[in-house]
Amino acid sequence: MIARITGKIIEKGSNYIILEVGGLCYQVLVPATVLQRIDNNTSQGNNISLVTYHYFQAEPSRNTPVLIGFLNDIEKEFFESFITVSGIGPRAAVKALNKPISQIAKA
């Protein structure tokens, strides 16, 4: 399991970043609230360290490894609790976490 990843930001998308780590590039899905904080505090070309949730997306003909990144363990723990809700998988949870975790937890 990949628990943490540290590397240079080489690209940012609407729900992901690509990190260069030792010559390899990894796409890491990132919830909108986390991505906004990354945008406010770092820029392309800077190094960043993320706590990761690592899983395999199973499809009939293949399994795809997926990394989801967070700035701290509390965000990851909330995410892990969130995906235990019936009908919410990791990708849906990434899309749903578009507000600060404290607001979601209160709701």
Side-chain angles (χ1 to χ4, degrees):
M1 175 167 53
I2 300 171
R4 183 177 292 275
I5 188 166
T6 301
K8 181 172 66 171
I9 299 170
I10 60 168
E11 185 180 327
K12 293 180 187 177
S14 61
N15 67 340
Y16 70 90
I17 59 174
I18 296 181
L19 294 179
E20 182 178 0
V21 181
L24 296 174
C25 294
Y26 295 89
Q27 181 181 33
V28 182
L29 298 180
V30 183
T33 57
V34 175
L35 190 59
Q36 183 180 26
R37 291 190 1 249
I38 291 170
D39 284 343
N40 292 341
N41 297 318
T42 59
S43 60
Q44 197 163 318
N46 287 355
N47 280 343
I48 190 167
S49 183
L50 298 172
V51 176
T52 58
Y53 177 83
H54 180 217
Y55 80 100
F56 286 91
Q57 181 175 338
E59 297 176 24
S61 62
R62 65 181 174 170
N63 287 324
T64 305
V66 178
L67 287 176
I68 301 172
F70 306 93
L71 292 173
N72 57 55
D73 289 318
I74 294 170
E75 292 172 344
K76 180 184 174 189
E77 289 169 13
F78 181 85
F79 175 83
E80 290 174 326
S81 294
F82 193 50
I83 62 174
T84 64
V85 174
S86 179
I88 297 183
R91 284 191 181 265
V94 168
K95 291 177 186 174
L97 293 176
N98 58 7
K99 301 228 182 278
I101 289 174
S102 59
Q103 286 181 0
I104 295 170
K106 287 178 187 175

